[in-house]
Structure formats: C-alpha cells, structure tokens
Amino acid sequence: MVGNTSNGGYGGAVNAIYSDLSVEGGSFTSNSAAVGGVIYTYDTTAAISGATFTGNTATATEETNGGAISAANATLTVTNCTFDGNSVSNGTATNNQNGGAIYANKTTLTVSKTTFTGNITGYYGGAIAANNGSTVSITGGSVSGSTGSTGAALWFSGCAKVEMSSVSITENTSKSNGVVY
C-alpha cells in the first residue's frame, strides 16, 4: 500500500475498530493520517507479521500519534517487521507527538524480532511510545538511528508493565531526556 492519505483522520491505509486485524507480509510506504500513518486500531486484536513500514507519517495541528501504527485500548502483536523512517509531527507544537513508528495507549503491545531504524518524533518515543496502563514486551530486534526529545528510542509513561529482552539499542539521538525514558 503506497501513498494513501486520511486527511485529518485515523489510519492512512487501515482503520480497524471493534474487530480483529491480521496483516501478513506486505509493504506500506508513504501513507499518512493525523493518527496512525498506516494503521489505526481501537478496541481491536491485531497481529502484524513480516511487514515493512517505510516513510509513513502522522501529521496534525494538535496531538498526533503513531507514524506507522497507533493502537488504543487494543492488543497489538508485531513480529518480524521493519520500521524505517516513519515520523510524527504537529508543526510548531513541541509536545503531543508520540511514537515515530508505534504508539500504544491502554494497549497490550508485544514486539518481537523487529527492526526500527531512523524513526522520528519531535517529542515522545522515536520508535515506540506507550502510556496509560499499557503492557509492553519487546524481545529481540533492534532500535537505531531514532530521534526524539524524550525517549529518543523508546518512551514509557504510566505503563502497567514493561519487559525488554535481547534488544539492541544503538545510535539514537535524544534532544533532552534520554534514549529510553
């Protein structure tokens, strides 16, 4: 899926609400939306495996989340995927830019054997941002070259539980408050 846009909306290519979503393989490039540049899920069980997300954006004038994927009140499993050069931006505002690649809000997020390279946020979580009671497990894979103000690679706030194992975190750039926050 290439170049899809949801102007001011949710999910540039896919919007899954109150349903199950399964994505196996595929490439998602240059998609955009206000929230979830490629995929937005709400109250959904989603499994994504073997997919590549490149150059997708979430852009809005106020709060914007998930350059590639935004999940709220969901269960999201991401396996053997690649996230490269995804971003969130809200113009001149300095906060409310969450998760250059993935944003999880009140979500159970499981990420395994996945590579994050060069993802960007102006504020929270260059690769992944999770908050509001989310449970996060990251196993294997790597996060490199990501940029953000707080948590250049990974940002967790008010999460119920965060577990990380065998994750390579290298060469990320924080503007002020750490690479993992």
Side-chain angles (χ1 to χ4, degrees), residues 58-112:
T59 303
T61 56
E62 304 256 338
E63 182 171 351
T64 184
N65 302 310
I69 301 170
S70 182
N73 197 38
T75 299
L76 174 61
T77 303
V78 177
T79 307
N80 292 322
C81 290
T82 300
F83 293 84
D84 185 16
N86 301 285
S87 63
V88 294
S89 171
N90 62 353
T92 59
T94 57
N95 58 8
N96 293 324
Q97 302 173 42
N98 306 307
I102 297 174
Y103 174 67
N105 178 23
K106 299 178 185 173
T107 291
T108 298
L109 173 63
T110 304
V111 178
S112 62

Side-chain angles (χ1 to χ4, degrees), residues 114-135:
T114 293
T115 301
F116 296 87
T117 305
N119 297 286
I120 300 167
T121 181
Y123 215 73
Y124 297 123
I128 298 173
N131 64 351
N132 295 333
S134 291
T135 299

